[in-house]
Each structure stands twice: as C-alpha cells, then as structure tokens.
Amino acid sequence: ALGGASALLAVHEDVKTAVLKASEEKRRAVKVVADAKGEQLLCGGELLQSGSFEEDFKAIPNLLEDGVPCLVLIRLKGVEGDPTAPQAKESDWAMLAWTPGDSPVKLRMLCATSQKIIQKEFGDLVPKFLSFNVTERSEVTLANFAEETRVATAADRRAAMTQEEIDAAQVREDFAKEKMAAPKMLAGLVALQIKAQDSFNDAMKVLAKEEGKAVVGHLAGPKGEELRGEVLEDVTSPEQLRRRLPETEPCYVLLRAKEGRILVLTWLPEGCGVKNRMKCSTFKSSVVTLVKDMWKSECGVELTVCQAEVTAEDELVDSLLDTPASVAKSGQAMAAAGGGGAGPMGGFALPGMGAGRPPPGGFALPGMRPT
C-alpha cells in the first residue's frame, strides 16, 4: 500500500524515455502524473514542439485536468531563429506544478513530493529544473512563466522587503563593509598599539593623585589611533557618569574602584557608527596595557584592571565597581541592574530570545529594540 503522501514513487520508463529523447524526437513537454495505487510516476501526455515556443506554451493548458494535480516538464530550448524562445541549452528545463485548489490534499502533497523525485532522477541531464507553480489555468502564460523564473535582481528583492527588513539588511551590509576595512592582526603579530596624547598623560596623573575624578579617553588623531584625555569632576561611581558621556561617540572611561584597582569601561553607545565601534573594540587591549604601564610609572605599584562594556546609560550601575579582574560584557552589567542576559558576541537581539540589550558588537535590529 502507498505509504502516505510522503511515499517515494518510482519514475516509469515511459517518462524517462520521453525526457531523455525529447531533443531527438522534438518533444516540447512531458506530463507526469502520480499513480497512487501503483506507486509510480507515469507519463500522462506529451506536447511536440512547433516552430514557435510561444505557441507551444499556449498549448500546455490542454495537458491539464481540472481537480487533478500533475507536473509538466518543459524543454526550454527552441528551434533556431525562433524569436519567442528563451536563450536556453538542451539541459535547460522547467517544471510546471499544477495543483488546482479543488484537488484532494493527498494528491497535492504527492505532487509536491514528486518534484524532488523528478529532479533526482534527471539530475545528470538537468542540473536544476526551473520551478513554475500554478493553481489556475489563466496563470499558464509565457509572460507569467518569464516573470516567475527570472533571476531576481537586488532591486527586485528590495521592492519585496518591508522598511524594517531594508533597514536590517543595510545594517548587515554596513557591518560587513566596515569589518572588511577594519585593521586586521595576523597570527603571531603583536596587538595594535594606541598612542597617548599629552592630554591623556596629564589626565592619568590627576586620576592617580586625586579622589572623585574620572578620565575619559577619546579616540583622536588623523586616523583615530591616538588617545585624548578628559577629566570629569565629582565622579566616584558609574551611576554618576549618566548624561555625561557622548551619545554617539565610543570611548573609554577610567574610574577608581577598590584599593589598587581601576575600572575601565568601554562605552559603546547604540548611536555610534559601526566603524568607530569596531575601532574602539580593536584598541581596548592596548588601552588597558597603557593604563597599567602609566599607573606603575606614576605610582610605583602594579595595578589591577577590571573591565566592562556598556552600551546604554541604564547599564551604568555602581555594582560595576565590584567587577572581577576579567572582561564583563554589557549583559553582565544589565544583570547587575536587574536586566536579562546577553547573547553571544556579535549576535542580534531577536524577539523572544532574552530581554537584555544586544551584546557588544551586536545590533538590535529595527523593530526589535529591547523593552
């Protein structure tokens, strides 16, 4: 008995012969029907080619039966000099799937399963059948076929997208471009080093000698590979940094933590550009090394550096001062503030996959902002 709609049907020899000898016998189309009882795909009719591909296509509806799904394999190569024929080789075929709405569900499912069987059977001759699915006879026109089977251009794909999908695609495209243009470090080479400007050296001296200060390190210089320093007054905790950091510029913020410890915050606001975000992440290790060396030079003691990455002001919580001497990502900062966890590095914040903000390097897609 037939093993349900997913059963594998054997391709009858008549179908194989009709397809393999189509060029020799000038055959335009071969109709294939599913024999549920015999568990076979049978030849249900043929259409010989004429001098006009367009006229041949007009005759295809004559092969179709009301309420009976089938496949029609169409040889696309036309006769020489036929202006209506597509530019095709002998290996170019199309597969019209006729599944009228009033046909039994089981037969429609058999028709869908049969498409893979046909493709596998004739894979050596036809690398890939062009798919053309119709449910009404009026849809079987050469114009519809040409539109359905043509390769979609970038403009076509964009026209079919919602604005949110367009925005998301643009974000991914920009990120890919900036990633390609970002500085690359080969295995075995030392990390990229950032150069401290005098203003950063002076700011670090203030931080080493005075309480209640914070230092903001801005990327500067012609190529953004130098560090400019700025001292913020009356800052003893991360929460006091709120509304005092740039909205669209990534930077580094240094705060005194416990004795012999400095908290280095990497500030990556959502409004900053991909290029600046990536550059800030690239130089983070160099900044930490620079801070340690400067502190030892100024104070004569080794410094323990704690790190955290934050992307929004509500992640600036005082518990960051207790961060262990290892990198804490923004999701950990959110957890300290009562928020949810973060996804993997470079991931996207998707609906239903955590209430936290996207991790450093990730993006919340348009329409998918965390609440």
Side-chain angles (χ1 to χ4, degrees), residues 25 66 77 104 164 179 188 199 218 226 249 298 328 332 336 354 366:
E25 299 176 355
D66 294 337
K77 184 173 176 58
E164 288 185 355
K179 186 175 181 181
S199 60
H218 302 272
E226 300 177 15
E249 175 200 347
E298 186 68 24
Q332 292 169 289

Side-chain angles (χ1 to χ4, degrees), residues 290-303:
L290 179 66
V291 169
K292 287 183 176 181
D293 292 344
M294 295 180 69
W295 193 271
K296 185 175 181 179
S297 175
E298 186 68 24
C299 302
V301 296
E302 294 287 345
L303 178 69

Side-chain angles (χ1 to χ4, degrees), residues 167-200:
D167 293 341
Q170 189 63 50
V171 167
R172 291 192 293 270
E173 182 179 337
D174 291 345
F175 183 80
K177 289 180 179 178
E178 296 297 346
K179 186 175 181 181
M180 290 295 293
K184 297 177 176 61
M185 184 177 66
L186 300 178
L189 297 183
V190 297
L192 293 171
Q193 299 297 313
I194 197 164
K195 179 182 179 181
Q197 294 184 350
D198 290 342
S199 60
F200 187 79

Side-chain angles (χ1 to χ4, degrees), residues 309-352:
E309 294 182 354
V310 291
T311 63
E313 289 195 338
D314 57 5
E315 296 176 9
L316 293 168
V317 293
D318 290 351
S319 56
L320 287 172
L321 292 174
D322 299 320
T323 300
S326 60
V327 178
K329 299 180 174 59
S330 57
Q332 292 169 289
M334 285 293 291
M345 180 72 75
F348 291 85
L350 299 178

